[in-house]
Amino acid sequence: MDFKDRVIFISGASNGIGKQLAVDLAARAALVVGCGRTRDRLVETLKEVRKLSPKSLMIACDIGDREQVQDMMKKVLADFGRIDILINNAGIGMRKPFVDTPLETIEAMIRTNYLGAVYCAQEVLPAMIARGSGHIVNISSGAGIIGTLNMSGYCASKFAMNGWSESLYHELKPLGVNVSLVCPGPVSTQFNREFVDIEPKSPPQLFINAEAVSQAVMRAIEKNQFEVIIPRWLALMCAIKRFTPSLFRVIAQRRFRSYVTKPARVAVSREFPANQ
Ligand SMILES: NC(=O)c1ccc[n+]([C@@H]2O[C@H](COP(=O)([O-])OP(=O)(O)OC[C@H]3O[C@@H](n4cnc5c(N)ncnc54)[C@H](OP(=O)(O)O)[C@@H]3O)[C@@H](O)[C@H]2O)c1
């Protein structure tokens, strides 16, 4: 696919993978429209992107808020006439045992990582289906295939995205709209920085950079690949899990069990029982 003059919407375009994609796609003459919550970062990104693609646009929007998404997409469709490619990239992370995770964190994770993508797709898909063309790219994670300790809310949001993507693939392919699901391993972006000391830590040599993910996303669109798992070691782990799930669970449990600590909430409630 030639990206020239394609209208490409990227959620979470102001940082990390989304920003890299915005710059790379602008360099290939696409009209990039992106969103994020923090205005300063959007302004910075827009400066870079407009040097390469002057008509590009960044919009402040919380994609976990359905009304904000509806207003934003109305504006984009009014200004640009169409969206050719929707890249659902915005996401937030967490690292805490489930019992210690505030419900607000779990709700925010589902709203941003999964429902945000759903809200965007609901606005964009009717026109894509009417035209009989378009591409939806969902940026998920290895955590959408392998459940990992201390990341239950994040894993749940990404497993939801993976199941949703597979359903969409079957529904949309006959209608001319393509779907890609990109599942990266650890990427050296802001996303991971606040969790660097919390298990399970990934060794630095396993990290890839945002450029590698951006290249993989563009390849997935060009070659119309459904599932892309990067890097190779993660693709191998996912294959082992799929072919021998019981064996994989035993191996994973051996690696993870040393990191399991008694959740703080349980420790506290034993010391100060609720009925005293
Ligand atoms: N980094 C990794 O190790 C890794 C691994 C696998 C998958 N992923 C996935 O890759 C995607 C991008 O991650 P990243 O590493 O690039 O993270 P990042 O550097 O933290 O960037 C996240 C982007 O999403 C935006 N965002 C977050 N919440 C939002 C919301 N409610 N509404 C609109 N925009 C929002 C952020 O901007 P504001 O904060 O200003 O809103 C920012 O532009 C995520 O879906 C993540 O789950 C990341």
mmCIF file of all heavy atoms in Angstrom, residues 1-47:
data_model
loop_
_atom_site.group_PDB
_atom_site.id
_atom_site.type_symbol
_atom_site.label_atom_id
_atom_site.label_comp_id
_atom_site.label_asym_id
_atom_site.label_seq_id
_atom_site.Cartn_x
_atom_site.Cartn_y
_atom_site.Cartn_z
ATOM 1 N N MET A 1 0.833 -1.200 0.000
ATOM 2 C CA MET A 1 0.000 0.000 0.000
ATOM 3 C C MET A 1 0.866 1.247 0.000
ATOM 4 O O MET A 1 1.876 1.310 0.694
ATOM 5 C CB MET A 1 -0.904 -0.002 1.234
ATOM 6 C CG MET A 1 -1.700 1.270 1.351
ATOM 7 S SD MET A 1 -2.516 1.444 2.913
ATOM 8 C CE MET A 1 -3.975 0.500 2.647
ATOM 9 N N ASP A 2 0.430 2.232 -0.793
ATOM 10 C CA ASP A 2 1.113 3.518 -0.797
ATOM 11 C C ASP A 2 0.421 4.395 0.255
ATOM 12 O O ASP A 2 -0.793 4.546 0.230
ATOM 13 C CB ASP A 2 0.935 4.111 -2.207
ATOM 14 C CG ASP A 2 1.705 5.394 -2.375
ATOM 15 O OD1 ASP A 2 2.364 5.803 -1.396
ATOM 16 O OD2 ASP A 2 1.629 5.978 -3.465
ATOM 17 N N PHE A 3 1.189 4.974 1.183
ATOM 18 C CA PHE A 3 0.569 5.768 2.246
ATOM 19 C C PHE A 3 0.289 7.212 1.819
ATOM 20 O O PHE A 3 -0.337 7.967 2.546
ATOM 21 C CB PHE A 3 1.459 5.763 3.501
ATOM 22 C CG PHE A 3 1.532 4.411 4.179
ATOM 23 C CD1 PHE A 3 2.713 3.696 4.212
ATOM 24 C CD2 PHE A 3 0.411 3.862 4.774
ATOM 25 C CE1 PHE A 3 2.781 2.449 4.827
ATOM 26 C CE2 PHE A 3 0.452 2.618 5.400
ATOM 27 C CZ PHE A 3 1.645 1.916 5.422
ATOM 28 N N LYS A 4 0.764 7.579 0.641
ATOM 29 C CA LYS A 4 0.642 8.974 0.191
ATOM 30 C C LYS A 4 -0.834 9.418 0.172
ATOM 31 O O LYS A 4 -1.694 8.731 -0.390
ATOM 32 C CB LYS A 4 1.249 9.114 -1.215
ATOM 33 C CG LYS A 4 1.340 10.538 -1.693
ATOM 34 C CD LYS A 4 2.133 10.598 -2.989
ATOM 35 C CE LYS A 4 2.311 11.980 -3.522
ATOM 36 N NZ LYS A 4 1.211 12.878 -3.494
ATOM 37 N N ASP A 5 -1.087 10.548 0.843
ATOM 38 C CA ASP A 5 -2.427 11.162 0.912
ATOM 39 C C ASP A 5 -3.490 10.315 1.605
ATOM 40 O O ASP A 5 -4.672 10.643 1.558
ATOM 41 C CB ASP A 5 -2.928 11.563 -0.486
ATOM 42 C CG ASP A 5 -2.072 12.684 -1.075
ATOM 43 O OD1 ASP A 5 -1.523 13.469 -0.281
ATOM 44 O OD2 ASP A 5 -1.931 12.738 -2.308
ATOM 45 N N ARG A 6 -3.076 9.217 2.243
ATOM 46 C CA ARG A 6 -4.041 8.443 3.045
ATOM 47 C C ARG A 6 -4.293 9.200 4.344
ATOM 48 O O ARG A 6 -3.343 9.721 4.945
ATOM 49 C CB ARG A 6 -3.489 7.069 3.414
ATOM 50 C CG ARG A 6 -3.113 6.236 2.229
ATOM 51 C CD ARG A 6 -4.299 5.503 1.703
ATOM 52 N NE ARG A 6 -3.950 4.839 0.466
ATOM 53 C CZ ARG A 6 -4.716 3.947 -0.130
ATOM 54 N NH1 ARG A 6 -5.883 3.647 0.382
ATOM 55 N NH2 ARG A 6 -4.328 3.381 -1.239
ATOM 56 N N VAL A 7 -5.538 9.218 4.771
ATOM 57 C CA VAL A 7 -5.853 9.846 6.061
ATOM 58 C C VAL A 7 -5.727 8.754 7.134
ATOM 59 O O VAL A 7 -6.459 7.758 7.109
ATOM 60 C CB VAL A 7 -7.270 10.454 6.071
ATOM 61 C CG1 VAL A 7 -7.532 11.130 7.416
ATOM 62 C CG2 VAL A 7 -7.434 11.446 4.923
ATOM 63 N N ILE A 8 -4.744 8.948 8.026
ATOM 64 C CA ILE A 8 -4.457 7.903 9.021
ATOM 65 C C ILE A 8 -4.661 8.478 10.417
ATOM 66 O O ILE A 8 -4.018 9.466 10.799
ATOM 67 C CB ILE A 8 -3.003 7.382 8.862
ATOM 68 C CG1 ILE A 8 -2.807 6.891 7.417
ATOM 69 C CG2 ILE A 8 -2.715 6.282 9.885
ATOM 70 C CD1 ILE A 8 -1.469 6.282 7.127
ATOM 71 N N PHE A 9 -5.567 7.883 11.182
ATOM 72 C CA PHE A 9 -5.823 8.344 12.544
ATOM 73 C C PHE A 9 -5.059 7.443 13.517
ATOM 74 O O PHE A 9 -5.167 6.217 13.460
ATOM 75 C CB PHE A 9 -7.324 8.302 12.876
ATOM 76 C CG PHE A 9 -7.593 8.831 14.243
ATOM 77 C CD1 PHE A 9 -7.850 10.190 14.433
ATOM 78 C CD2 PHE A 9 -7.538 8.000 15.355
ATOM 79 C CE1 PHE A 9 -8.039 10.688 15.714
ATOM 80 C CE2 PHE A 9 -7.730 8.493 16.628
ATOM 81 C CZ PHE A 9 -7.984 9.842 16.812
ATOM 82 N N ILE A 10 -4.319 8.085 14.442
ATOM 83 C CA ILE A 10 -3.547 7.328 15.446
ATOM 84 C C ILE A 10 -3.955 7.806 16.834
ATOM 85 O O ILE A 10 -3.771 8.989 17.174
ATOM 86 C CB ILE A 10 -2.021 7.569 15.279
ATOM 87 C CG1 ILE A 10 -1.566 7.281 13.850
ATOM 88 C CG2 ILE A 10 -1.227 6.730 16.278
ATOM 89 C CD1 ILE A 10 -0.147 7.769 13.541
ATOM 90 N N SER A 11 -4.496 6.930 17.666
ATOM 91 C CA SER A 11 -4.757 7.340 19.053
ATOM 92 C C SER A 11 -3.450 7.203 19.835
ATOM 93 O O SER A 11 -2.639 6.321 19.570
ATOM 94 C CB SER A 11 -5.870 6.485 19.677
ATOM 95 O OG SER A 11 -5.436 5.164 19.859
ATOM 96 N N GLY A 12 -3.257 8.113 20.811
ATOM 97 C CA GLY A 12 -1.997 8.092 21.571
ATOM 98 C C GLY A 12 -0.818 8.433 20.690
ATOM 99 O O GLY A 12 0.228 7.771 20.734
ATOM 100 N N ALA A 13 -0.980 9.520 19.897
ATOM 101 C CA ALA A 13 0.071 9.876 18.921
ATOM 102 C C ALA A 13 1.110 10.831 19.500
ATOM 103 O O ALA A 13 2.027 11.249 18.810
ATOM 104 C CB ALA A 13 -0.568 10.508 17.690
ATOM 105 N N SER A 14 0.959 11.197 20.790
ATOM 106 C CA SER A 14 1.825 12.252 21.327
ATOM 107 C C SER A 14 3.078 11.715 22.008
ATOM 108 O O SER A 14 3.902 12.490 22.487
ATOM 109 C CB SER A 14 1.027 13.094 22.327
ATOM 110 O OG SER A 14 0.525 12.265 23.352
ATOM 111 N N ASN A 15 3.232 10.393 22.067
ATOM 112 C CA ASN A 15 4.386 9.838 22.776
ATOM 113 C C ASN A 15 4.682 8.430 22.243
ATOM 114 O O ASN A 15 3.833 7.821 21.595
ATOM 115 C CB ASN A 15 4.062 9.752 24.280
ATOM 116 C CG ASN A 15 5.257 10.082 25.141
ATOM 117 O OD1 ASN A 15 6.372 10.265 24.637
ATOM 118 N ND2 ASN A 15 5.061 10.163 26.441
ATOM 119 N N GLY A 16 5.870 7.934 22.551
ATOM 120 C CA GLY A 16 6.214 6.526 22.324
ATOM 121 C C GLY A 16 5.930 6.010 20.924
ATOM 122 O O GLY A 16 6.273 6.633 19.909
ATOM 123 N N ILE A 17 5.281 4.859 20.864
ATOM 124 C CA ILE A 17 5.035 4.165 19.591
ATOM 125 C C ILE A 17 4.152 5.019 18.672
ATOM 126 O O ILE A 17 4.403 5.136 17.467
ATOM 127 C CB ILE A 17 4.356 2.795 19.861
ATOM 128 C CG1 ILE A 17 5.291 1.879 20.672
ATOM 129 C CG2 ILE A 17 3.936 2.122 18.562
ATOM 130 C CD1 ILE A 17 4.616 0.641 21.267
ATOM 131 N N GLY A 18 3.108 5.628 19.255
ATOM 132 C CA GLY A 18 2.173 6.427 18.453
ATOM 133 C C GLY A 18 2.864 7.616 17.806
ATOM 134 O O GLY A 18 2.620 7.939 16.635
ATOM 135 N N LYS A 19 3.738 8.271 18.564
ATOM 136 C CA LYS A 19 4.463 9.431 18.024
ATOM 137 C C LYS A 19 5.395 8.986 16.889
ATOM 138 O O LYS A 19 5.476 9.627 15.837
ATOM 139 C CB LYS A 19 5.262 10.114 19.142
ATOM 140 C CG LYS A 19 6.013 11.331 18.680
ATOM 141 C CD LYS A 19 6.675 12.039 19.837
ATOM 142 C CE LYS A 19 7.394 13.272 19.363
ATOM 143 N NZ LYS A 19 8.004 14.010 20.465
ATOM 144 N N GLN A 20 6.085 7.865 17.124
ATOM 145 C CA GLN A 20 6.985 7.335 16.092
ATOM 146 C C GLN A 20 6.213 7.022 14.810
ATOM 147 O O GLN A 20 6.638 7.360 13.697
ATOM 148 C CB GLN A 20 7.675 6.070 16.626
ATOM 149 C CG GLN A 20 8.746 5.524 15.712
ATOM 150 C CD GLN A 20 9.937 6.449 15.582
ATOM 151 O OE1 GLN A 20 10.419 6.984 16.578
ATOM 152 N NE2 GLN A 20 10.400 6.675 14.356
ATOM 153 N N LEU A 21 5.046 6.413 14.985
ATOM 154 C CA LEU A 21 4.205 6.100 13.817
ATOM 155 C C LEU A 21 3.772 7.374 13.095
ATOM 156 O O LEU A 21 3.774 7.433 11.858
ATOM 157 C CB LEU A 21 2.954 5.356 14.286
ATOM 158 C CG LEU A 21 3.033 3.834 14.316
ATOM 159 C CD1 LEU A 21 1.868 3.258 15.113
ATOM 160 C CD2 LEU A 21 3.041 3.264 12.895
ATOM 161 N N ALA A 22 3.392 8.386 13.891
ATOM 162 C CA ALA A 22 2.941 9.648 13.289
ATOM 163 C C ALA A 22 4.055 10.234 12.421
ATOM 164 O O ALA A 22 3.812 10.661 11.275
ATOM 165 C CB ALA A 22 2.527 10.629 14.387
ATOM 166 N N VAL A 23 5.279 10.236 12.942
ATOM 167 C CA VAL A 23 6.412 10.807 12.198
ATOM 168 C C VAL A 23 6.724 9.945 10.969
ATOM 169 O O VAL A 23 6.906 10.466 9.851
ATOM 170 C CB VAL A 23 7.649 10.934 13.133
ATOM 171 C CG1 VAL A 23 8.894 11.313 12.347
ATOM 172 C CG2 VAL A 23 7.376 11.944 14.245
ATOM 173 N N ASP A 24 6.764 8.624 11.162
ATOM 174 C CA ASP A 24 7.126 7.729 10.043
ATOM 175 C C ASP A 24 6.085 7.786 8.920
ATOM 176 O O ASP A 24 6.427 7.753 7.739
ATOM 177 C CB ASP A 24 7.271 6.282 10.542
ATOM 178 C CG ASP A 24 8.521 6.106 11.400
ATOM 179 O OD1 ASP A 24 9.378 7.009 11.411
ATOM 180 O OD2 ASP A 24 8.632 5.057 12.067
ATOM 181 N N LEU A 25 4.807 7.855 9.313
ATOM 182 C CA LEU A 25 3.756 7.895 8.278
ATOM 183 C C LEU A 25 3.722 9.259 7.587
ATOM 184 O O LEU A 25 3.488 9.346 6.373
ATOM 185 C CB LEU A 25 2.396 7.547 8.887
ATOM 186 C CG LEU A 25 2.254 6.049 9.227
ATOM 187 C CD1 LEU A 25 1.097 5.798 10.177
ATOM 188 C CD2 LEU A 25 2.077 5.214 7.949
ATOM 189 N N ALA A 26 3.996 10.327 8.355
ATOM 190 C CA ALA A 26 4.077 11.661 7.747
ATOM 191 C C ALA A 26 5.231 11.699 6.741
ATOM 192 O O ALA A 26 5.119 12.301 5.666
ATOM 193 C CB ALA A 26 4.262 12.717 8.825
ATOM 194 N N ALA A 27 6.335 11.012 7.088
ATOM 195 C CA ALA A 27 7.492 10.969 6.177
ATOM 196 C C ALA A 27 7.136 10.242 4.887
ATOM 197 O O ALA A 27 7.794 10.426 3.862
ATOM 198 C CB ALA A 27 8.671 10.271 6.859
ATOM 199 N N ARG A 28 6.103 9.409 4.943
ATOM 200 C CA ARG A 28 5.660 8.717 3.720
ATOM 201 C C ARG A 28 4.443 9.411 3.107
ATOM 202 O O ARG A 28 3.658 8.812 2.396
ATOM 203 C CB ARG A 28 5.390 7.256 4.040
ATOM 204 C CG ARG A 28 6.744 6.627 4.456
ATOM 205 C CD ARG A 28 6.773 5.177 4.594
ATOM 206 N NE ARG A 28 6.261 4.433 3.476
ATOM 207 C CZ ARG A 28 6.194 3.095 3.497
ATOM 208 N NH1 ARG A 28 6.652 2.430 4.539
ATOM 209 N NH2 ARG A 28 5.698 2.454 2.479
ATOM 210 N N ALA A 29 4.300 10.704 3.456
ATOM 211 C CA ALA A 29 3.311 11.599 2.821
ATOM 212 C C ALA A 29 1.857 11.291 3.177
ATOM 213 O O ALA A 29 0.940 11.684 2.451
ATOM 214 C CB ALA A 29 3.499 11.626 1.309
ATOM 215 N N ALA A 30 1.643 10.587 4.304
ATOM 216 C CA ALA A 30 0.261 10.376 4.760
ATOM 217 C C ALA A 30 -0.236 11.650 5.448
ATOM 218 O O ALA A 30 0.559 12.478 5.906
ATOM 219 C CB ALA A 30 0.228 9.220 5.751
ATOM 220 N N LEU A 31 -1.574 11.814 5.503
ATOM 221 C CA LEU A 31 -2.165 12.894 6.300
ATOM 222 C C LEU A 31 -2.450 12.288 7.662
ATOM 223 O O LEU A 31 -3.323 11.429 7.789
ATOM 224 C CB LEU A 31 -3.478 13.364 5.655
ATOM 225 C CG LEU A 31 -3.350 13.962 4.266
ATOM 226 C CD1 LEU A 31 -4.713 14.141 3.629
ATOM 227 C CD2 LEU A 31 -2.652 15.309 4.369
ATOM 228 N N VAL A 32 -1.666 12.705 8.652
ATOM 229 C CA VAL A 32 -1.762 12.071 9.969
ATOM 230 C C VAL A 32 -2.652 12.892 10.892
ATOM 231 O O VAL A 32 -2.465 14.101 11.044
ATOM 232 C CB VAL A 32 -0.348 11.927 10.587
ATOM 233 C CG1 VAL A 32 -0.444 11.333 11.992
ATOM 234 C CG2 VAL A 32 0.534 11.058 9.703
ATOM 235 N N VAL A 33 -3.621 12.223 11.504
ATOM 236 C CA VAL A 33 -4.434 12.860 12.536
ATOM 237 C C VAL A 33 -4.220 12.020 13.799
ATOM 238 O O VAL A 33 -4.353 10.797 13.762
ATOM 239 C CB VAL A 33 -5.935 12.865 12.180
ATOM 240 C CG1 VAL A 33 -6.703 13.695 13.195
ATOM 241 C CG2 VAL A 33 -6.149 13.396 10.779
ATOM 242 N N GLY A 34 -3.852 12.704 14.884
ATOM 243 C CA GLY A 34 -3.571 11.953 16.108
ATOM 244 C C GLY A 34 -4.266 12.565 17.302
ATOM 245 O O GLY A 34 -4.738 13.707 17.247
ATOM 246 N N CYS A 35 -4.335 11.800 18.375
ATOM 247 C CA CYS A 35 -4.897 12.362 19.606
ATOM 248 C C CYS A 35 -4.111 11.903 20.819
ATOM 249 O O CYS A 35 -3.308 10.966 20.754
ATOM 250 C CB CYS A 35 -6.382 12.002 19.745
ATOM 251 S SG CYS A 35 -6.659 10.333 20.350
ATOM 252 N N GLY A 36 -4.345 12.580 21.924
ATOM 253 C CA GLY A 36 -3.735 12.280 23.212
ATOM 254 C C GLY A 36 -4.384 13.227 24.211
ATOM 255 O O GLY A 36 -5.183 14.084 23.814
ATOM 256 N N ARG A 37 -4.051 13.074 25.505
ATOM 257 C CA ARG A 37 -4.705 13.946 26.487
ATOM 258 C C ARG A 37 -3.885 15.192 26.792
ATOM 259 O O ARG A 37 -4.428 16.229 27.129
ATOM 260 C CB ARG A 37 -4.954 13.181 27.788
ATOM 261 C CG ARG A 37 -5.973 12.071 27.669
ATOM 262 C CD ARG A 37 -5.879 11.127 28.830
ATOM 263 N NE ARG A 37 -4.533 10.559 28.936
ATOM 264 C CZ ARG A 37 -4.129 9.745 29.899
ATOM 265 N NH1 ARG A 37 -4.954 9.409 30.861
ATOM 266 N NH2 ARG A 37 -2.889 9.277 29.906
ATOM 267 N N THR A 38 -2.541 15.105 26.667
ATOM 268 C CA THR A 38 -1.687 16.199 27.128
ATOM 269 C C THR A 38 -1.357 17.157 25.985
ATOM 270 O O THR A 38 -0.667 16.784 25.025
ATOM 271 C CB THR A 38 -0.372 15.618 27.713
ATOM 272 O OG1 THR A 38 -0.701 14.495 28.516
ATOM 273 C CG2 THR A 38 0.389 16.629 28.528
ATOM 274 N N ARG A 39 -1.853 18.408 26.127
ATOM 275 C CA ARG A 39 -1.740 19.360 25.021
ATOM 276 C C ARG A 39 -0.286 19.669 24.642
ATOM 277 O O ARG A 39 0.043 19.734 23.460
ATOM 278 C CB ARG A 39 -2.469 20.659 25.365
ATOM 279 C CG ARG A 39 -3.954 20.523 25.155
ATOM 280 C CD ARG A 39 -4.745 21.725 25.632
ATOM 281 N NE ARG A 39 -6.152 21.365 25.740
ATOM 282 C CZ ARG A 39 -7.018 21.380 24.728
ATOM 283 N NH1 ARG A 39 -6.629 21.776 23.533
ATOM 284 N NH2 ARG A 39 -8.264 21.009 24.886
ATOM 285 N N ASP A 40 0.588 19.866 25.664
ATOM 286 C CA ASP A 40 1.982 20.227 25.370
ATOM 287 C C ASP A 40 2.644 19.185 24.470
ATOM 288 O O ASP A 40 3.356 19.507 23.526
ATOM 289 C CB ASP A 40 2.806 20.325 26.661
ATOM 290 C CG ASP A 40 2.294 21.430 27.551
ATOM 291 O OD1 ASP A 40 1.392 22.156 27.097
ATOM 292 O OD2 ASP A 40 2.790 21.554 28.694
ATOM 293 N N ARG A 41 2.406 17.923 24.805
ATOM 294 C CA ARG A 41 3.009 16.842 24.009
ATOM 295 C C ARG A 41 2.431 16.811 22.596
ATOM 296 O O ARG A 41 3.147 16.544 21.628
ATOM 297 C CB ARG A 41 2.732 15.486 24.669
ATOM 298 C CG ARG A 41 3.595 15.202 25.855
ATOM 299 C CD ARG A 41 3.635 13.694 26.062
ATOM 300 N NE ARG A 41 3.767 13.399 27.465
ATOM 301 C CZ ARG A 41 3.034 12.514 28.124
ATOM 302 N NH1 ARG A 41 2.097 11.833 27.510
ATOM 303 N NH2 ARG A 41 3.240 12.291 29.392
ATOM 304 N N LEU A 42 1.137 17.109 22.492
ATOM 305 C CA LEU A 42 0.508 17.118 21.159
ATOM 306 C C LEU A 42 1.116 18.209 20.295
ATOM 307 O O LEU A 42 1.382 18.013 19.106
ATOM 308 C CB LEU A 42 -1.007 17.332 21.282
ATOM 309 C CG LEU A 42 -1.821 16.162 21.845
ATOM 310 C CD1 LEU A 42 -3.244 16.604 22.163
ATOM 311 C CD2 LEU A 42 -1.847 14.986 20.865
ATOM 312 N N VAL A 43 1.354 19.381 20.929
ATOM 313 C CA VAL A 43 1.935 20.514 20.194
ATOM 314 C C VAL A 43 3.331 20.143 19.677
ATOM 315 O O VAL A 43 3.664 20.381 18.508
ATOM 316 C CB VAL A 43 1.989 21.768 21.101
ATOM 317 C CG1 VAL A 43 2.813 22.873 20.471
ATOM 318 C CG2 VAL A 43 0.578 22.265 21.409
ATOM 319 N N GLU A 44 4.138 19.519 20.555
ATOM 320 C CA GLU A 44 5.494 19.101 20.170
ATOM 321 C C GLU A 44 5.450 18.123 18.990
ATOM 322 O O GLU A 44 6.195 18.250 18.020
ATOM 323 C CB GLU A 44 6.197 18.409 21.357
ATOM 324 C CG GLU A 44 6.756 19.379 22.391
ATOM 325 C CD GLU A 44 7.642 20.439 21.753
ATOM 326 O OE1 GLU A 44 8.582 20.061 21.027
ATOM 327 O OE2 GLU A 44 7.369 21.643 21.947
ATOM 328 N N THR A 45 4.557 17.137 19.122
ATOM 329 C CA THR A 45 4.444 16.113 18.068
ATOM 330 C C THR A 45 3.998 16.751 16.756
ATOM 331 O O THR A 45 4.547 16.451 15.685
ATOM 332 C CB THR A 45 3.435 15.012 18.474
ATOM 333 O OG1 THR A 45 3.835 14.492 19.731
ATOM 334 C CG2 THR A 45 3.374 13.889 17.453
ATOM 335 N N LEU A 46 3.015 17.657 16.859
ATOM 336 C CA LEU A 46 2.489 18.282 15.644
ATOM 337 C C LEU A 46 3.574 19.064 14.902
ATOM 338 O O LEU A 46 3.639 19.036 13.666
ATOM 339 C CB LEU A 46 1.295 19.184 15.977
ATOM 340 C CG LEU A 46 0.533 19.710 14.765
ATOM 341 C CD1 LEU A 46 -0.019 18.556 13.921
ATOM 342 C CD2 LEU A 46 -0.617 20.612 15.188
ATOM 343 N N LYS A 47 4.451 19.731 15.696
ATOM 344 C CA LYS A 47 5.548 20.486 15.058
ATOM 345 C C LYS A 47 6.378 19.549 14.186
ATOM 346 O O LYS A 47 6.700 19.862 13.042
ATOM 347 C CB LYS A 47 6.458 21.080 16.152
ATOM 348 C CG LYS A 47 6.106 22.494 16.537
ATOM 349 C CD LYS A 47 7.211 23.055 17.418
ATOM 350 C CE LYS A 47 6.619 24.000 18.439
ATOM 351 N NZ LYS A 47 7.421 24.145 19.642
#
